[in-house]
Amino acid sequence: MTEAEIPAGPPAKGILAMVERVGNRLPDPVFLFLWLIAGLIVTSLIASWAGWSVPHPTQIDEGTGAASIVAASSLLSADNIRRLWVEMPATFTHFHPLGYVLVVMLGAGVAERTGLFGTAMRAAVRNAPVFLLTPIVSLVGMLGNLAADAAYVVLIPLAGIIFHAAGRNPIVGIAACFAGVAGGFSANLLPGQLDALLFGITEAAVETAFGDYTANILGNWYFIIAMTAVFLPVIWLVTDRIIEPRLGPWDSSRAGSAAANEQEDRPLLAQEHKGLRHAALGALGVVALWLIFLFGPGTPLIDEGAAPEARLTPFYQSLVAGFFLLFLISGWAYGKAAGSITDHRSLVKMMSDAMADMAYYLVLAFVAAHFVAMFGWSNLGLIMAVEGADMLRASGLPAWALLVLIVLFSALLNLLIGSASAKWALLAPVMVPMLMLLGITPEMATATYRVGDSATNIITPLMVYFPLILIFCQRWQQDFGLGSLAATMLPYSVGLLVAGLVLVGGWVLLDLPLGPGAQVFMPVAPGR
């Protein structure tokens, strides 16, 4: 479902109305980046004229033996104007998130369009025991983020139907599932498209300041598993102890006319069961193939000549292709068995349609790529990172407190800018290098952002799916307004934010690994 097809709900009141009005005055993220580029050009001109400079944190001037000086560079200089126009194709195509996301979505688009994602989610929740209905629906919602739009369009209304069939208020089911899908946006048991997207931006942010850097798509794997384990009981507790008693039993007299026409919670068909079995075999085949590449003859995914800590770098770099193949093969296997793929042309059409759905992202990526690149050309990103790191170091704030503040800032910004990639493209060019100068890894910076980006998704009317969730609720209760939805989701948002803050602070204090080869802290450059 496109943004234009999502129906609008009734107007909000109070604080929510203010958030909605302010956010609606913001331009589309594409034009937001264009305005930011204009501001960046003016800022670079002033900074260059003022002679703003800092010592480089890692590079040494061979002539003097002292740190190299990084000076602000005007984006209206002849070199930067030439670079902008001559390198425009390369600036766009070399934007790291672009390749990562498009490759993964080629496979995920097939898995979604064959019906694999929708059937798998239905199979996971429809036979759940009544007393475990809330945690199972919430968990499947969090895992459903791998299915992108399908989790919103398929799983959330299905949760209402299943709760109704179990004799519980269907709006409670919708709320619990929405909290899992959107409030637990980054929580999962497996990395997916979001990891590819965010770490692509992180990689670009590091390179603007420090040169070559390769992102590890598994860099937050342990952390997102912990998010799942922490967020799940929070959603369960809020649902059963706060939301369900507040909403009470469902009153059929207040139901919308569409409630009687809701999709029936039917059992899976024989061909759907067969498709799931074939998809599981296909997924196991891809995993086995990667294990052969990892441990088989020649070990192509292990660099035997590298230092011990770098030997698995080819394996980490191969995971984008691995997820593409995992989704593609399992989706194809499901489609052939279930009948949604009839021949190879059906497969190609699904892949083409998946790329068509990425059209808006391509436009956004074009302007975001130039914003990130121009930030690097101006040297403002590195200068601001160095100055910010010095200021924070002088403040004496411990690492956990600093990261908690970043979570809160990300959560607040999320109320006004819904796109996870747009926000991270705005924040990462300064935040990631600044934290690196304080000894905090890019992986920890990314994990911190993810916590803040998730918690407030479910209370901002500017979230693209918020009106759609409202319509789902109104099918079961006609007078359920935007304020009702926001009030229902607010306890989830507060609970998830508090849990996320505790998780980030505790993770830093315990110095736990974030994923394979990814730590919280890193060495600080000498003299910093």
Side-chain angles (χ1 to χ4, degrees), residues 23 51 63 75 84 95 149 183 190 302 358 501:
L75 290 172
L84 173 64
F95 189 48
D149 290 354
L190 291 172
I302 296 180
M358 299 301 294
L501 291 171

PDB file of all heavy atoms in Angstrom, residues 23 51 63 75 84 95 149 183 190 302 358 501:
ATOM      1  N   GLY A  23       4.954  18.892  12.243  1.00  0.00           N
ATOM      2  CA  GLY A  23       5.520  17.916  11.318  1.00  0.00           C
ATOM      3  C   GLY A  23       5.012  18.073   9.904  1.00  0.00           C
ATOM      4  O   GLY A  23       5.760  17.916   8.932  1.00  0.00           O
ATOM      5  N   GLY A  51      37.947  30.804   8.610  1.00  0.00           N
ATOM      6  CA  GLY A  51      39.155  30.025   8.881  1.00  0.00           C
ATOM      7  C   GLY A  51      38.960  28.955   9.937  1.00  0.00           C
ATOM      8  O   GLY A  51      39.888  28.645  10.705  1.00  0.00           O
ATOM      9  N   GLY A  63      55.859  16.675   7.373  1.00  0.00           N
ATOM     10  CA  GLY A  63      56.837  17.759   7.411  1.00  0.00           C
ATOM     11  C   GLY A  63      57.092  18.283   8.799  1.00  0.00           C
ATOM     12  O   GLY A  63      58.237  18.601   9.150  1.00  0.00           O
ATOM     13  N   LEU A  75      31.971  25.016  -0.286  1.00  0.00           N
ATOM     14  CA  LEU A  75      31.381  24.200  -1.345  1.00  0.00           C
ATOM     15  C   LEU A  75      31.191  24.993  -2.623  1.00  0.00           C
ATOM     16  O   LEU A  75      30.815  24.426  -3.657  1.00  0.00           O
ATOM     17  CB  LEU A  75      30.047  23.622  -0.871  1.00  0.00           C
ATOM     18  CG  LEU A  75      30.164  22.549   0.219  1.00  0.00           C
ATOM     19  CD1 LEU A  75      28.791  22.180   0.768  1.00  0.00           C
ATOM     20  CD2 LEU A  75      30.871  21.302  -0.312  1.00  0.00           C
ATOM     21  N   LEU A  84      31.187  18.325  -7.705  1.00  0.00           N
ATOM     22  CA  LEU A  84      29.742  18.110  -7.661  1.00  0.00           C
ATOM     23  C   LEU A  84      29.209  17.653  -9.012  1.00  0.00           C
ATOM     24  O   LEU A  84      28.478  16.660  -9.099  1.00  0.00           O
ATOM     25  CB  LEU A  84      29.035  19.398  -7.231  1.00  0.00           C
ATOM     26  CG  LEU A  84      27.502  19.381  -7.309  1.00  0.00           C
ATOM     27  CD1 LEU A  84      26.921  18.362  -6.333  1.00  0.00           C
ATOM     28  CD2 LEU A  84      26.938  20.775  -7.033  1.00  0.00           C
ATOM     29  N   PHE A  95      26.860   5.449  -3.094  1.00  0.00           N
ATOM     30  CA  PHE A  95      26.226   5.621  -1.782  1.00  0.00           C
ATOM     31  C   PHE A  95      25.944   4.231  -1.219  1.00  0.00           C
ATOM     32  O   PHE A  95      25.136   3.480  -1.752  1.00  0.00           O
ATOM     33  CB  PHE A  95      24.934   6.421  -1.944  1.00  0.00           C
ATOM     34  CG  PHE A  95      24.298   6.840  -0.657  1.00  0.00           C
ATOM     35  CD1 PHE A  95      25.028   7.441   0.351  1.00  0.00           C
ATOM     36  CD2 PHE A  95      22.925   6.663  -0.465  1.00  0.00           C
ATOM     37  CE1 PHE A  95      24.417   7.844   1.532  1.00  0.00           C
ATOM     38  CE2 PHE A  95      22.312   7.068   0.711  1.00  0.00           C
ATOM     39  CZ  PHE A  95      23.067   7.662   1.708  1.00  0.00           C
ATOM     40  N   ASP A 149       6.447  -3.964   4.507  1.00  0.00           N
ATOM     41  CA  ASP A 149       5.052  -3.520   4.527  1.00  0.00           C
ATOM     42  C   ASP A 149       4.072  -4.628   4.895  1.00  0.00           C
ATOM     43  O   ASP A 149       2.992  -4.356   5.431  1.00  0.00           O
ATOM     44  CB  ASP A 149       4.658  -2.972   3.149  1.00  0.00           C
ATOM     45  CG  ASP A 149       5.350  -1.652   2.844  1.00  0.00           C
ATOM     46  OD1 ASP A 149       6.031  -1.135   3.733  1.00  0.00           O
ATOM     47  OD2 ASP A 149       5.196  -1.156   1.716  1.00  0.00           O
ATOM     48  N   GLY A 183       6.808  -0.246  17.314  1.00  0.00           N
ATOM     49  CA  GLY A 183       7.551   0.104  18.525  1.00  0.00           C
ATOM     50  C   GLY A 183       8.811  -0.729  18.688  1.00  0.00           C
ATOM     51  O   GLY A 183       9.825  -0.265  19.195  1.00  0.00           O
ATOM     52  N   LEU A 190      17.014 -11.867  13.714  1.00  0.00           N
ATOM     53  CA  LEU A 190      17.913 -11.951  12.562  1.00  0.00           C
ATOM     54  C   LEU A 190      18.112 -10.568  11.968  1.00  0.00           C
ATOM     55  O   LEU A 190      17.187  -9.759  11.945  1.00  0.00           O
ATOM     56  CB  LEU A 190      17.344 -12.885  11.488  1.00  0.00           C
ATOM     57  CG  LEU A 190      17.288 -14.382  11.799  1.00  0.00           C
ATOM     58  CD1 LEU A 190      16.519 -15.101  10.701  1.00  0.00           C
ATOM     59  CD2 LEU A 190      18.705 -14.948  11.925  1.00  0.00           C
ATOM     60  N   ILE A 302      36.673 -16.917   4.157  1.00  0.00           N
ATOM     61  CA  ILE A 302      37.630 -16.646   5.234  1.00  0.00           C
ATOM     62  C   ILE A 302      38.946 -16.191   4.607  1.00  0.00           C
ATOM     63  O   ILE A 302      39.450 -16.837   3.686  1.00  0.00           O
ATOM     64  CB  ILE A 302      37.869 -17.887   6.112  1.00  0.00           C
ATOM     65  CG1 ILE A 302      36.589 -18.300   6.849  1.00  0.00           C
ATOM     66  CG2 ILE A 302      38.987 -17.625   7.125  1.00  0.00           C
ATOM     67  CD1 ILE A 302      36.754 -19.522   7.727  1.00  0.00           C
ATOM     68  N   MET A 358      10.750   0.594  -4.883  1.00  0.00           N
ATOM     69  CA  MET A 358      11.890   1.327  -4.334  1.00  0.00           C
ATOM     70  C   MET A 358      12.111   2.662  -5.038  1.00  0.00           C
ATOM     71  O   MET A 358      13.114   3.338  -4.782  1.00  0.00           O
ATOM     72  CB  MET A 358      13.161   0.469  -4.450  1.00  0.00           C
ATOM     73  CG  MET A 358      13.111  -0.847  -3.709  1.00  0.00           C
ATOM     74  SD  MET A 358      12.815  -0.627  -1.941  1.00  0.00           S
ATOM     75  CE  MET A 358      14.325   0.198  -1.456  1.00  0.00           C
ATOM     76  N   LEU A 501      16.348   2.678  27.158  1.00  0.00           N
ATOM     77  CA  LEU A 501      17.372   3.454  27.862  1.00  0.00           C
ATOM     78  C   LEU A 501      18.152   2.571  28.830  1.00  0.00           C
ATOM     79  O   LEU A 501      19.384   2.668  28.926  1.00  0.00           O
ATOM     80  CB  LEU A 501      16.703   4.606  28.620  1.00  0.00           C
ATOM     81  CG  LEU A 501      16.101   5.728  27.764  1.00  0.00           C
ATOM     82  CD1 LEU A 501      15.294   6.679  28.634  1.00  0.00           C
ATOM     83  CD2 LEU A 501      17.190   6.486  27.016  1.00  0.00           C
TER      84      LEU A 501
END
